[in-house]
Amino acid sequence: MGKNLIYVPQCHSTNDIAAQVVEQPSAHEGTVVITDAQTKGRGQMGNQWVTEPEKNLTFSLILYPSFVAPKDQFFLICAISLGLYDLLQTALNGHIFIKWPNDLMVNDKKVAGILIENQLKGNIIKHSIVGIGLNVNQERFNIPTATSMNQISGQQFDLSTILDDLLHQIEVRYLMLRNGKHQTLLNDYHNAMYWRNEMHAFSAASKKFYGKIIGVDEQGRLMVDCDGTVHHFTNKQVMFG
Ligand code: BTN
């Protein structure tokens, strides 16, 4: 991963550039498109991803996970989230969790987000563009729920070292996926889940309720136990808090 690296000083969104690159025959698996400054960074569910130029990692990774059936797409999310989780575990001291489906949390604040865009062809994933935003050296944020590795540790990090380490961790998890280690990925994901086995408030269909996350099902839906009944939610159906 990252042996083929395409650097652009500024762009709208690295996911958009990667979507053009992937159409070219030279787009090898593991190609990284990276920028110092995104002007129209995209987040999940139509949100924007806004970070300070030159302080953070904003990049997209091109993958060809043809060995993952479209019905198992959640395992790709698992592998990438765990790669980020493993990196953060080695780089930081703090309470690190994966907030379902793929936000990385440290000390209850979001430090990284992932936007995976899969292109399906028939019953295979033709290619996958994995966009990653990891807040590294940014010191201040406009939203109180965001943080960076610098805010947590007080340290400055070398961006290219963090990128190398992160790509290595993602590769390890991706190889587990390729080797069919779905159960190990799922177990590790469960153990890393934010709010798991704790009573918390959620909202669904504009109603607040209390429950305990017990895990994710095989389709990647969140399972919440409410008074002994287990509810399964897709990403759009439930909110934390
Ligand atoms: C989220 O948490 O909402 C996902 C954020 C993903 C942001 C990254 S930054 C690099 C890549 N390019 C984009 O436009 N988005 C992703």
Side-chain angles (χ1 to χ4, degrees), residues 79-209:
I80 305 296
S81 311
L82 284 167
L84 266 159
Y85 175 83
D86 296 339
L87 177 273
L88 293 169
Q89 285 288 2
T90 58
L92 296 176
N93 279 317
H95 299 287
I96 301 161
F97 293 100
I98 301 170
K99 184 176 172 188
W100 175 87
N102 52 10
D103 285 349
L104 273 295
M105 307 294 288
V106 187
N107 300 347
D108 293 304
K109 291 187 177 193
K110 180 164 167 173
V111 71
I114 304 169
L115 178 67
I116 300 184
E117 295 179 306
N118 290 328
Q119 171 89 46
L120 306 183
K121 191 179 179 190
N123 201 31
I124 63 158
I125 302 178
K126 195 173 151 229
H127 63 245
S128 181
I129 303 208
V130 177
I132 295 179
L134 169 61
N135 299 333
V136 182
N137 289 323
Q138 186 165 333
E139 288 174 18
R140 273 171 289 278
F141 292 87
N142 291 334
I143 42 170
T145 49
T147 191
S148 67
M149 293 174 67
N150 171 275
Q151 272 199 346
I152 293 148
S153 66
Q155 262 178 271
Q156 284 288 316
F157 294 88
D158 178 55
L159 286 178
S160 63
T161 308
I162 296 293
L163 177 67
D164 285 351
D165 293 351
L166 175 56
L167 291 173
H168 169 72
Q169 301 287 7
I170 290 175
E171 185 159 343
V172 170
R173 291 296 185 171
Y174 189 65
L175 291 176
M176 287 172 82
L177 181 63
R178 198 156 78 183
N179 292 329
K181 303 256 185 288
H182 289 196
Q183 201 50 52
T184 312
L185 288 169
L186 205 54
N187 286 347
D188 291 351
Y189 184 92
H190 274 157
N191 290 332
M193 273 182 105
Y194 186 64
W195 283 10
R196 185 165 162 252
N197 289 336
E198 294 170 14
M199 203 61 168
H200 284 282
F202 297 85
S203 23
S206 311
K207 284 206 184 84
K208 212 169 191 115
F209 63 92

Side-chain angles (χ1 to χ4, degrees), residues 21-93:
V21 171
V22 81
E23 297 302 335
Q24 295 162 15
S26 57
H28 303 292
E29 176 151 75
T31 296
V32 166
V33 177
I34 188 161
T35 190
D36 286 334
Q38 269 189 155
T39 51
K40 281 190 188 157
R42 294 190 284 113
Q44 285 181 46
M45 306 219 274
N47 291 328
Q48 290 181 320
W49 184 259
V50 184
T51 52
E52 228 175 278
E54 293 176 18
K55 298 252 168 113
N56 304 297
L57 285 180
T58 42
F59 69 95
S60 303
L61 183 59
I62 293 175
L63 297 176
Y64 298 98
S66 52
F67 48 87
V68 178
K71 70 172 178 50
D72 291 335
Q73 284 178 56
F74 181 70
F75 288 100
L76 182 62
I77 295 178
C78 262
I80 305 296
S81 311
L82 284 167
L84 266 159
Y85 175 83
D86 296 339
L87 177 273
L88 293 169
Q89 285 288 2
T90 58
L92 296 176
N93 279 317

